[in-house]
Amino acid sequence: MAVAFWILAAVSVAAGIAVFVVDSMARATFALLASLLAVGLAFLLIDLQYLGVLIILMMVMEMLIMAVFMIMYMMNPAGLMPMKMVHNNRVAALVAGAVFALLAVGIFLTPWPRRRGEPPADPTHALGLSIMGPKMLVMMVIGVAILATMISTVVLATHRGRYDRYGDDLTRRPPDDPGPGHAHSPQPPVEHHHACGAPNPGEERT
């Protein structure tokens, strides 16, 4: 078990470093997923099944949702094109070093409480009751509110897409806009149905 733990620890650290080394958003996302999966498996090895399964499920769903949004909205195809993944390196290194030093000092200066009593027979169950027990209703309401917010955001962001403006076959001219100013809208590709050079019936007349 010790060998497996250290292998998973090395995989987690190596994948975490790869997040800042690879040159595309998609590769960084899956490198982060590999790192967190290794962390989840390490939790399973030390008999923290609940936390291990929770980490694995949460990270898989989170990274898949991120990949879907990359495919939907990123300018380059699915975030696979090379791009600079780090910015303002000097300031970022200074901030990271300062935060690390502050946290390390806090570890030694904090008056940690002494253990009182005996640990519960099932620490995971006791932790869940301590965190979620009296606040279960609040957390359920917040979960529904977050889901409704996500759906509303997507609906509002995709309101009046190009098919709404240009029709199902993208040939409506002028586009069905509520007001003038459609010159800034992206022009959809125009299909040329006439090889003899005759004007396309769907092309906008100027």
Side-chain angles (χ1 to χ4, degrees), residues 2-34:
V3 175
F5 178 84
W6 286 111
I7 291 175
L8 290 173
V11 171
S12 176
V13 173
I17 294 174
V19 174
F20 300 95
V21 174
V22 297
D23 60 352
S24 79
M25 188 68 77
R27 294 186 179 92
T29 298
F30 288 107
L32 181 59
L33 175 59

Side-chain angles (χ1 to χ4, degrees), residues 143-165:
V144 174
I146 292 175
L147 178 62
T149 303
M150 293 171 62
I151 295 175
S152 303
T153 304
V154 173
V155 170
L156 292 175
T158 58
H159 179 60
R160 294 194 58 75
R162 61 177 180 169
Y163 289 103
D164 298 310
R165 300 175 64 234

Side-chain angles (χ1 to χ4, degrees), residues 91-108:
V91 175
L94 291 175
V95 172
V99 171
F100 176 79
L102 182 64
L103 293 177
V105 171
I107 291 175
F108 293 103

Side-chain angles (χ1 to χ4, degrees), residues 1 20 23 56 64 68 79 86 94 96-97 119 129 190 194 202 205:
M1 179 179 293
F20 300 95
D23 60 352
I56 292 173
L64 288 180
V68 169
V86 293
L94 291 175
L129 289 179
V190 177
H194 301 273
R205 296 176 182 177

